[in-house]
Amino acid sequence: MSNATSQNETVHRVSFLDRDSVNIPILKILQADGTVYENAVLPAIDEALAHKIYDTCVFTRVLDERMLGAQRQGRISFYMTCTGEEASIIGSAASLDNDDVILAQYREHAALRYRGFTTEQFMNQLFSNEKDLGKGRQMPIHYGSSELNYQTISSPLATQIPQATGVGYSLKMQGKRNIAICYFGEGAASEGDFHAGLNMAAVLKSPTIFFCRNNGYAISTPTSEQFMGNGIASRGPGYGMHTIRVDGNDMLAVLAATQQARAYAVENNAPVLIEAMTYRLGAHSSSDDPSGYRSKDEEAKWQQHDPVKRFKLWMINKGWLTEKQDSELFEKYRSEVLAEVKVAEKLPMSSVDTLIEDVYDTPTPRLKQQLETLKTHIKKYPKSYPNSEGSV
Amino acid sequence: MAEINMLQAINDALSMAMETDDKTILFGEDVGHFGGVFRATSGLQDKYGRDRCFNTPLTEQGIAGFANGLASNGMTAIAEIQFADYIFPAIDQIVNETAKFRYRSGNEFNVGGVTFRTPYGGGIAGGHYHSQSPEAYFTQTAGLKVVVPRNAYQAKGLLLASIRDKNPVIFFEPKRLYRANIGEVPDGDYEIELGKAEVVREGKDITLLAWGAQMEIIEKAADMAAKEGISCEILDLRTLAPWDVETVATSVKKTGRLLINHEAPLTGGFAGEIAATIQEECFLYLESPISRVCGLDTPYPLIHEKEYMPDALKTFEAIKASVTF
């Protein structure tokens, strides 16, 4: 095995590479007015798929708008939107098989929705009630569903990246023609986990798609303060990895790239890196105020590239959607979300007994003893523990 | 039964685990064809193929993250961290991810199939980056099991139990015993239950408690004490998390005294946790303060290894101080 590429050119005077030595084209298929670029090669998409994608876009817009509002009203403690990044997330999710495993960062709930997570399930997690699959143990937006092959979100950044390499490898070893897909932001690519995960995936031949949402900001830190190279895509060839850069606000470009990345990963048992160039239109989270670090003009400019609007125009051009159907869809989800909020916020929290479950496969004697001590204490002062008062 | 050393016993356990569960994957730095720097994985790549036993790039956080991913999707992952001193780059993956996978997801996902094997401890002139005993860092993390064998027989039985346990386990292997400890080890498949301490020797005046490589130290100290007419009961904790409070408390209620010995520094060491718990459980039975004989609160030194170590002589002195308190 060679230590570098097999055909190193020889030079006889000093010559350095720099950030522009690697020329990375960006795949664009759909224009802002909803028409397709001349000579563009479209992804595999029919009317039914287009509707499923658009439906997920609308649901996500509504969910984000309503739940950010709910957070502002103090009904939930925290929220994160994916506004502006819907094409990146939904376009990639729509290219997958349901048995492909998704390891998301935290802003990819649209992919979970695409898989079939119900409005009620979203609400149960956001309100941490007794029906939350995560048993009320994590902050809002930390969704997960084994049924839908969507691994539960972890707050520490980038930890899912080497894990995705392991999941991809496990799928290969299980003889499945499936892949793992790992989402992360360009900020997460600064963590050691990014290097560890991508390098291992390339070397160990793990069928995994590493999907970078380059959305311009890691909380308040712009990309200019995050890295000096040619984005994240430039690192792919460095790892010996198939790599593509796409317009992350272009649903058809994301779809096309991910469809082909998936096929390549399955056929070759190899990873692929996708860098989607997009923009986080909203705040980082409900605890953040972007007006402190970026201008209204900048945001307004990116509003022109709204990925949902662009895809909607394409569907209208195709005759697959009307403005009337569009507003009806928004209305449908507005009332559905509102109705589910009302149900979910009234449900009780899970019993205090669940506190010691799932630490180990069965609670240890010490954990059982600690629970008994706690329950005795709660019985003595029930009013001081309103979440558990009823369950002791 | 064959007389083999601890490395051979570990190799035997790994082979058995891979043979009995074809979803078992073994990986780490240099563990492939080379068989690991201590040769614990010798021959396994030949037997089970490069897909199931392989070298990884040199990245502990990657190894741990990869292990988590494998296990989260139904595989059994055995990851070698070449020296316990180098487990720290992986600490976020282990402490925030491995340990909490099941809890944070409400058991939607778990990585119970992960076992980290790692050589630990001093006495090999390794200086401070080849000699540490970092077990206490992990005992505070709910969701992990921490296991340390003291001999070849235990190494095989406890390792097989760790690999097959439905929870992630960190398995610390006392490297100074790797070749030094030779004993009878059954050829067949057997497991030693996790979470149970072992009464190694019965006695009536004081309970001596340790794990792993320090067991031979407290046994030596007990022999020295016996010559002075002091009868020591010797316990091997074997599993530090979750640990066997009952067996330790029963022994201390009998002897009235407890000495805990570990190589790791005194402050924040696991002996502190044991002492606090046993004081609660056995307060009215104690004849003297619980004694800790541990490493100094310094990094592990090279030339002063002998001075640093909680050796048999220091232990012997502490035993006498305890019984004459």
Side-chain angles (χ1 to χ4, degrees):
Chain A
M1 255 179 289
S2 70
N3 191 31
T5 57
S6 48
Q7 293 157 347
N8 282 338
E9 183 193 348
T10 305
V11 294
H12 305 289
R13 62 183 62 186
V14 174
S15 132
F16 293 99
L17 302 178
D18 62 25
R19 60 181 280 170
D20 298 320
S21 300
V22 189
N23 181 23
I24 305 169
I26 177 162
L27 176 69
K28 286 175 182 278
I29 292 178
L30 193 55
Q31 307 190 76
D33 64 357
T35 60
V36 169
Y37 284 96
E38 212 179 322
N39 300 327
V41 179
L42 262 64
I45 184 167
D46 59 13
E47 189 173 350
L49 177 61
H51 273 291
K52 190 172 178 195
I53 288 172
Y54 191 66
D55 188 272
T56 310
C57 287
V58 173
F59 171 80
T60 309
R61 277 276 153 104
V62 169
L63 182 78
D64 283 354
E65 179 196 306
R66 292 285 146 134
M67 299 323 293
L68 196 59
Q71 193 279 333
R72 297 281 181 249
Q73 295 164 358
R75 293 161 94 170
I76 56 173
S77 59
F78 180 79
Y79 195 73
M80 284 180 132
T81 75
C82 69
T83 309
E85 297 177 64
E86 292 91 343
S88 298
I89 298 157
I90 302 167
S92 50
S95 311
L96 306 176
D97 184 272
N98 281 340
D99 289 333
D100 293 341
V101 179
I102 297 176
L103 293 97
Q105 179 161 304
Y106 48 53
R107 204 185 291 288
E108 297 88 358
H109 43 284
L112 182 59
R113 176 63 179 194
Y114 188 87
R115 283 273 167 99
F117 210 58
T118 65
T119 311
E120 184 198 347
Q121 286 175 312
F122 274 102
M123 292 310 146
N124 293 337
Q125 201 286 327
L126 293 168
F127 286 94
S128 310
N129 65 33
E130 64 179 5
K131 287 180 159 177
D132 169 23
L133 293 175
K135 302 189 187 174
R137 287 169 185 158
Q138 292 210 72
M139 286 164 70
I141 69 100
H142 288 64
Y143 314 104
S145 164
S146 56
E147 192 193 343
L148 299 175
N149 293 311
Y150 189 98
Q151 290 211 353
T152 302
I153 305 302
S154 166
S155 301
L157 211 56
T159 53
Q160 77 281 9
I161 301 175
Q163 291 169 14
T165 303
V167 172
Y169 195 89
S170 74
L171 292 164
K172 177 174 86 169
M173 291 303 287
Q174 289 161 11
K176 294 180 178 161
R177 291 180 66 78
N178 284 104
I179 58 138
I181 185 166
C182 179
Y183 291 98
F184 53 96
E186 83 286 353
S190 294
E191 294 279 6
D193 283 296
F194 170 84
H195 166 65
L198 268 72
N199 188 45
M200 286 181 83
V203 172
L204 301 173
K205 302 197 187 314
S206 170
T208 304
I209 296 177
F210 297 98
F211 194 100
C212 177
R213 299 178 288 93
N214 187 339
N215 69 8
Y217 288 90
I219 306 189
S220 71
T221 303
T223 53
S224 60
E225 293 171 35
Q226 192 70 244
F227 50 77
M228 290 309 294
N230 188 343
I232 304 306
S234 65
R235 301 165 193 194
Y239 290 114
M241 195 178 291
H242 250 46
T243 300
I244 188 168
R245 176 175 281 163
V246 297
D247 179 349
N249 287 19
D250 175 345
M251 188 70 76
L252 297 181
V254 175
L255 196 64
T258 318
Q259 283 175 348
Q260 293 197 34
R262 185 185 183 281
Y264 177 85
V266 168
E267 277 317 309
N268 299 280
N269 280 323
V272 181
L273 172 62
I274 299 176
E275 182 182 28
M277 308 308 287
T278 179
Y279 189 81
R280 193 191 77 210
L281 275 178
H284 164 69
S285 76
S286 56
S287 312
D288 169 43
D289 174 12
S291 70
Y293 53 83
R294 69 189 189 192
S295 69
K296 287 276 168 222
D297 285 353
E298 180 184 309
E299 289 175 29
K301 192 193 103 194
W302 277 94
Q303 290 283 1
Q304 311 293 317
H305 297 282
D306 182 340
V308 173
K309 196 174 144 201
R310 203 190 299 184
F311 188 64
K312 177 182 128 179
L313 289 175
W314 181 71
M315 285 188 65
I316 289 174
N317 287 346
K318 298 278 285 184
W320 289 350
L321 185 75
T322 64
E323 288 288 357
K324 184 164 173 287
Q325 285 171 324
D326 181 46
S327 14
E328 281 167 3
L329 198 55
F330 270 94
E331 269 324 298
K332 180 184 114 178
Y333 282 133
R334 280 188 186 121
S335 36
E336 184 179 308
V337 166
L338 213 59
E340 293 292 350
V341 164
K342 284 180 182 156
V343 177
E345 68 182 349
K346 288 201 185 76
L347 286 175
M349 305 295 146
S350 52
S351 132
V352 71
D353 295 292
T354 64
L355 183 57
I356 64 159
E357 288 172 9
D358 309 320
V359 180
Y360 296 98
D361 59 333
T362 51
T364 62
R366 269 205 137 175
L367 278 171
K368 285 184 194 157
Q369 184 196 36
Q370 288 173 9
L371 179 65
E372 284 319 306
T373 308
L374 174 64
K375 284 165 90 168
T376 306
H377 177 77
I378 293 172
K379 272 180 199 149
K380 193 170 174 189
Y381 299 102
K383 299 290 169 226
S384 298
Y385 304 91
N387 287 344
S388 303
E389 184 194 347
S391 67
V392 289
Chain B
M1 262 197 289
E3 288 249 332
I4 57 174
N5 69 29
M6 190 184 277
L7 277 169
Q8 291 165 317
I10 288 166
N11 187 272
D12 210 7
L14 293 171
S15 184
M16 204 146 274
M18 295 184 85
E19 195 179 305
T20 51
D21 171 11
D22 61 12
K23 287 193 165 171
T24 305
I25 310 277
L26 175 64
F27 51 94
E29 294 155 13
D30 303 306
V31 307
H33 176 68
F34 185 59
V37 291
F38 292 101
R39 303 292 189 277
T41 59
S42 280
L44 297 175
Q45 188 175 72
D46 286 344
K47 245 189 213 166
Y48 300 104
R50 293 179 73 97
D51 284 347
R52 292 182 62 200
C53 175
F54 51 85
N55 294 338
T56 64
L58 217 159
T59 165
E60 288 78 12
Q61 76 179 132
I63 291 168
F66 182 78
N68 288 336
L70 279 179
S72 75
N73 204 44
M75 308 296 280
T76 303
I78 309 173
E80 178 175 305
I81 303 293
Q82 203 160 72
F83 285 90
D85 311 72
Y86 303 132
I87 206 164
F88 297 109
I91 203 142
D92 178 52
Q93 279 291 345
I94 296 174
V95 164
N96 270 324
E97 301 293 310
T98 312
K100 287 155 190 159
F101 233 90
R102 191 193 313 260
Y103 194 78
R104 72 176 183 213
S105 70
N107 204 21
E108 285 292 295
F109 297 92
N110 77 80
V111 295
V114 169
T115 303
F116 294 108
R117 290 177 41 244
T118 188
Y120 87 97
I124 56 141
H128 54 197
Y129 292 120
H130 295 83
S131 304
Q132 295 172 71
S133 300
E135 67 269 19
Y137 288 95
F138 300 99
T139 55
Q140 220 221 348
T141 302
L144 297 177
K145 292 192 177 181
V146 177
V147 178
V148 194
R150 79 163 188 281
N151 58 29
Y153 171 78
Q154 278 193 0
K156 181 171 173 183
L158 286 171
L159 182 53
L160 276 167
S162 297
I163 293 165
R164 292 163 179 168
D165 194 88
K166 291 181 168 44
N167 301 284
V169 176
I170 306 189
F171 191 82
F172 287 102
E173 298 169 1
K175 61 180 167 293
R176 77 167 183 260
L177 303 185
Y178 265 160
R179 291 191 171 84
N181 187 282
I182 296 165
E184 290 202 335
V185 175
D187 298 329
D189 200 328
Y190 66 95
E191 294 175 27
I192 298 173
E193 190 182 349
L194 303 187
K196 296 279 179 222
E198 182 191 356
V199 181
V200 174
R201 192 188 297 181
E202 299 220 20
K204 58 182 179 47
D205 297 327
I206 182 168
T207 300
L208 309 184
L209 175 68
W211 48 87
Q214 289 305 96
M215 286 305 297
E216 63 172 17
I217 302 295
I218 62 169
E219 287 182 84
K220 237 180 250 173
D223 293 341
M224 292 160 83
K227 287 179 188 148
E228 311 251 327
I230 303 167
S231 159
C232 299
E233 179 142 308
I234 298 177
L235 263 54
D236 177 0
L237 198 56
R238 298 198 294 200
T239 302
L240 277 68
W243 68 285
D244 185 355
V245 180
E246 202 188 332
T247 299
V248 180
T250 302
S251 172
V252 174
K253 282 176 184 170
K254 184 175 96 177
T255 65
R257 293 181 176 89
L258 175 64
L259 180 152
I260 309 151
N261 176 303
H262 64 58
E263 261 182 57
L266 177 83
T267 302
F270 197 58
E273 173 58 32
I274 297 169
T277 304
I278 294 303
Q279 189 247 142
E280 260 176 20
E281 297 282 321
C282 308
F283 185 68
L284 295 176
Y285 297 83
L286 288 172
E287 305 281 347
S288 65
I290 295 169
S291 170
R292 292 179 289 166
V293 183
C294 305
L296 306 182
D297 287 344
T298 67
Y300 198 104
L302 181 68
I303 56 160
H304 288 128
E305 186 171 65
K306 207 165 158 43
E307 289 77 6
Y308 169 93
M309 286 287 269
D311 63 9
L313 200 53
K314 290 178 187 173
T315 309
F316 171 60
E317 285 300 310
I319 292 168
K320 286 194 292 184
S322 182
V323 295
T324 58
F325 180 77

